C-alpha cells in the first residue's frame, strides 16, 4: 500500500479554485498546510478543521511535508524554489518558472543537480485532445505534418481595467508572452518538436508606465521542415477563442474551443469528421482535470521533460523584444 503524501499548498486564488478541488478528490494525499498571505480571508469547510493555515511560506519547509505545490507569482516562486534547495521537498510549479530565463535555467539546473523531484503545470500537455494529437502525429496515421496555425484570443481582465499587477508586466513574469505564449510554445514542442521562431510582429499599448504587448504574431520552424504561424491577441469582452489547425499530407485536423472555460469545451475534427472524447463534469473549472492528471503522473515521472519544455519556451520569449 502506497504511503500517503503530506502536502502543502502555497497560494490563494487559483490555488483554491484549481488545485484544492483536485486535492480533495485524491485519497493518496494528506493535505496538511495551506499557506497564503490572505489566510484570514480564506473560508474552508468543516472537512479542513485540522488543516493548518500558515502565512509565512518559510515555515512549511520545517514541517513533515513531502510535496509542496506553488501557485504564486513568479517573483515569489523563484524565492521559494531557491529556499527549497536546502530542504529538498518535492515540488510542483506554475509557469513561468521565474521572472526571466537566466534565473529559471539556474534554478532548474540546481534542482537537477540536487536531484529534487519537480514538475510544472503546463495545462495542454495533460489534455486528452492534445495527447491524442501527439499520438497520431508520431504514428503518422495521416502522413507527415506539413504546417500548422494557431489563433488564440482572450480577455485580460487586468489589462482591460488598466490595473497595474504582475500579470500585465513581462519583467515580473506576466504579460501575454509569459502567461499565454508559454502554453502555446510548450504544446508546439510537445506535438511537433523543438521550436525556432524566426519572425515576430507585435502590437503594444502603454499605460501607467507599462508597455503591454496586446498582440503577437510569430512564424515558427520545427524539425522535419514543419512550419507554423501563431497569433495571440487580447480582446475586451466575450469568451476566449482558441484554434489549432494542422495540415497533414493526407488531410487536416482542427481543434477549437470557443468558450469561457480554457480546456473543457474543445472540439476536434479530422478530415471533417468529429472525434468524440469522454466529457468530464467532475470539476467546475476544466483545468482541474489537467491538474488531476499532473498530480497522478508526478510520482511516476522520472525526468524533467515538462520543466525542459517550459525552459525552452522561456528562452525563446527572452529573445522577443518589444
Amino acid at each position: 500500500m502506497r504511503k500517503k503524501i503530506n502536502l502543502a499548498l502555497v497560494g490563494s486564488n487559483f490555488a483554491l479554485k484549481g488545485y484544492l478541488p483536485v486535492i480533495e478528490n485524491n485519497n493518496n494525499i494528506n493535505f496538511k498546510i495551506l499557506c497564503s498571505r490572505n489566510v484570514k480571508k480564506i473560508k474552508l469547510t468543516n472537512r479542513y478543521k485540522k488543516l493548518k493555515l500558515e502565512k509565512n511560506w518559510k515555515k512549511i519547509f520545517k514541517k513533515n511535508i513531502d510535496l509542496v505545490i506553488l501557485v504564486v507569482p513568479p517573483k515569489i516562486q523563484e524565492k521559494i524554489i531557491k529556499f527549497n534547495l536546502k530542504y529538498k521537498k518535492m515540488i510542483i510549479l506554475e509557469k513561468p518558472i521565474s521572472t526571466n530565463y537566466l534565473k529559471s535555467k539556474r534554478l532548474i539546473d540546481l534542482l537537477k543537480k540536487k536531484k529534487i523531484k519537480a514538475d510544472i503545470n503546463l495545462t495542454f500537455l495533460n489534455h486528452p485532445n492534445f495527447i491524442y494529437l501527439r499520438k497520431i502525429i508520431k504514428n503518422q496515421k495521416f502522413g507527415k505534418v506539413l504546417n500548422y496555425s494557431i489563433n488564440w484570443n482572450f480577455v485580460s481582465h487586468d489589462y482591460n481595467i488598466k490595473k497595474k499587477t504582475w500579470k500585465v508586466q513581462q519583467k515580473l513574469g506576466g504579460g501575454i508572452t509569459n502567461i499565454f505564449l508559454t502554453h502555446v510554445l510548450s504544446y508546439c514542442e510537445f506535438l511537433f518538436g523543438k521550436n525556432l521562431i524566426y519572425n515576430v510582429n507585435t502590437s503594444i499599448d502603454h499605460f501607467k508606465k507599462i508597455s503591454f504587448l496586446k498582440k503577437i504574431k510569430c512564424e515558427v520552424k520545427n524539425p522535419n521542415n514543419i512550419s507554423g504561424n501563431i497569433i495571440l491577441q487580447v480582446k475586451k469582452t466575450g469568451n476566449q477563442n482558441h484554434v489549432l489547425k494542422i495540415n497533414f499530407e493526407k488531410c487536416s485536423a482542427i481543434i477549437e474551443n470557443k468558450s469561457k472555460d480554457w480546456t473543457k469545451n474543445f472540439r476536434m475534427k479530422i478530415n471533417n469528421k468529429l472525434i468524440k472524447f469522454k466529457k468530464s463534469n467532475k470539476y467546475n473549472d476544466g483545468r482541474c482535470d489537467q491538474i488531476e492528471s499532473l498530480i497522478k503522473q508526478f510520482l511516476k515521472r522520472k525526468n524533467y521533460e515538462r520543466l525542459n519544455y517550459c525552459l525552452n519556451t522561456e528562452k525563446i520569449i527572452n529573445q522577443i523584444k518589444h
Side-chain angles (χ1 to χ4, degrees):
M1 186 175 177
R2 182 187 291 176
K3 178 187 172 184
K4 286 194 173 185
I5 295 171
N6 292 331
L7 182 142
L9 177 63
V10 185
S12 50
N13 298 329
F14 189 57
L16 301 179
K17 184 181 178 183
Y19 282 85
L20 183 58
V22 177
I23 292 167
E24 286 180 331
N25 279 287
N26 193 317
N27 293 325
N28 295 315
I29 288 175
N30 278 327
F31 187 20
K32 292 287 189 178
I33 304 174
L34 174 60
C35 179
S36 173
R37 60 185 178 182
N38 299 318
V39 288
K40 291 182 179 179
K41 296 181 181 180
I42 293 174
K43 294 181 180 179
L44 297 170
T45 62
N46 290 335
R47 180 176 178 177
Y48 294 108
K49 278 185 177 180
K50 295 182 180 180
L51 179 68
K52 181 175 176 57
L53 296 177
E54 181 58 69
K55 192 173 182 179
N56 185 346
W57 55 261
K58 289 183 178 181
K59 291 183 179 180
I60 68 175
F61 289 91
K62 297 173 183 178
K63 306 295 183 181
N64 182 25
I65 294 295
D66 304 306
L67 170 63
V68 180
I69 296 179
L70 302 181
V71 195
V72 294
K75 194 171 183 179
I76 299 171
Q77 180 163 267
E78 63 191 45
K79 290 179 181 179
I80 300 176
I81 297 171
K82 190 174 181 180
F83 189 81
N84 186 44
L85 295 173
K86 176 183 176 182
Y87 295 93
K88 298 183 179 182
K89 306 287 187 184
M90 295 187 294
I91 196 164
I92 292 177
L93 316 173
E94 281 288 310
K95 52 86 194 150
I97 298 161
S98 74
T99 52
N100 68 63
Y101 166 70
L102 293 177
K103 285 183 181 179
S104 295
K105 186 177 186 309
R106 174 160 174 75
L107 289 170
I108 299 307
D109 286 346
L110 288 168
L111 286 176
K112 292 176 179 178
K113 184 179 179 180
K114 292 182 176 290
K115 297 181 180 179
I116 297 172
K117 193 170 182 64
D119 211 335
I120 192 161
N121 180 27
L122 296 171
T123 301
F124 300 102
L125 275 59
N126 298 306
H127 195 287
N129 294 52
F130 287 81
I131 293 169
Y132 178 80
L133 272 177
R134 191 186 198 205
K135 286 179 181 178
I136 64 172
I137 289 169
K138 288 187 77 173
N139 65 28
Q140 296 190 3
K141 183 177 181 180
F142 302 106
K144 295 179 181 179
V145 175
L146 302 175
N147 53 63
Y148 62 92
S149 63
I150 297 162
N151 198 317
W152 190 7
N153 57 65
F154 40 80
V155 174
S156 170
H157 176 73
D158 288 356
Y159 167 66
N160 285 339
I161 65 172
K162 300 297 186 284
K163 187 177 181 181
K164 190 175 182 179
T165 66
W166 73 268
K167 290 183 179 180
V168 298
Q169 298 183 71
Q170 184 163 328
K171 67 180 181 180
L172 298 180
I176 71 171
T177 49
N178 288 306
I179 295 176
F180 293 91
L181 188 58
T182 299
H183 274 307
V184 170
L185 290 177
S186 294
Y187 77 61
C188 284
E189 183 172 343
F190 179 70
L191 295 174
F192 311 116
K194 209 163 185 179
N195 304 296
L196 173 65
I197 286 185
Y198 63 92
N199 192 20
V200 178
N201 290 295
T202 60
S203 178
I204 312 294
D205 189 19
H206 301 277
F207 69 97
K208 295 182 179 179
K209 298 182 179 180
I210 296 171
S211 294
F212 181 79
L213 181 64
K214 62 181 181 181
K215 184 176 181 178
I216 184 166
K217 294 182 179 181
C218 306
E219 293 181 55
V220 185
K221 285 284 187 185
N222 301 90
N224 302 315
N225 293 317
I226 299 171
S227 60
N229 286 285
I230 299 169
I231 301 175
L232 305 181
Q233 57 187 329
V234 177
K235 63 180 185 178
K236 290 186 177 180
T237 59
N239 293 333
Q240 57 102 37
N241 187 2
H242 189 173
V243 183
L244 165 61
K245 184 177 181 181
I246 304 173
N247 291 315
F248 295 92
E249 288 178 310
K250 297 179 182 178
C251 66
S252 63
I254 186 165
I255 174 171
E256 183 173 22
N257 182 356
K258 293 182 177 180
S259 70
K260 187 176 181 181
D261 193 295
W262 275 28
T263 68
K264 192 177 276 190
N265 300 301
F266 273 107
R267 286 167 55 86
M268 182 188 293
K269 284 186 177 182
I270 299 179
N271 203 18
N272 290 319
K273 181 182 177 181
L274 184 66
I275 308 298
K276 293 184 179 180
F277 292 85
K278 186 178 178 181
K279 284 196 172 184
S280 171
N281 293 309
K282 192 173 182 179
Y283 303 106
N284 292 328
D285 190 318
R287 291 172 293 180
C288 293
D289 290 301
Q290 282 70 64
I291 290 169
E292 182 176 84
S293 176
L294 167 68
I295 293 174
K296 282 182 179 179
Q297 294 299 317
F298 174 67
L299 291 175
K300 299 177 184 178
R301 202 168 283 136
K302 295 181 180 180
N303 58 41
Y304 297 91
E305 182 184 41
R306 304 300 173 93
L307 284 167
N308 290 335
Y309 283 141
C310 191
L311 203 57
N312 293 339
T313 295
E314 289 188 32
K315 184 176 181 179
I316 293 171
I317 289 171
N318 186 61
Q319 297 166 355
I320 297 174
K321 306 298 181 184
H322 69 271

